[in-house]
Amino acid sequence: WRIVEVLTEGPSNGKLTTNDVIVAMNGTRIKNADDLASYLEENTLPGQTLVITVRGNRALDVTIILGRRPPPP
């Protein structure tokens, strides 16, 4: 799942970058948008710590504390 935007006020600012690809969350493989949405909905709450494995210009694990999802425009 490719990251298209990182919010400057969000918990991943400075840790994730545009075009990073999420390949796992807390060790659970993420293959597509459905996997990503399902994992977040079923396994996480705002304020929890999440380890995101990304690949792009580098491969690494990034630890973030989840914020609240911004309201739709």
Side-chain angles (χ1 to χ4, degrees), residues 8-71:
T8 56
E9 66 277 1
S12 57
N13 184 39
K15 297 180 179 185
L16 299 175
T17 60
T18 302
N19 293 322
D20 280 345
V21 177
I22 296 172
V23 295
M25 291 185 166
N26 287 344
T28 300
R29 187 169 178 208
I30 302 296
K31 297 177 278 188
N32 54 44
D34 289 338
D35 284 354
L36 177 69
S38 294
Y39 185 86
L40 290 172
E41 182 177 342
E42 297 169 9
N43 298 291
T44 65
L45 294 170
Q48 289 182 321
T49 300
L50 179 65
V51 178
I52 300 173
T53 305
V54 297
R55 64 175 173 82
N57 293 331
R58 69 237 187 280
L60 66 127
D61 289 338
V62 177
T63 301
I64 63 166
I65 297 173
L66 293 174
R68 292 206 175 273
R69 188 176 186 166

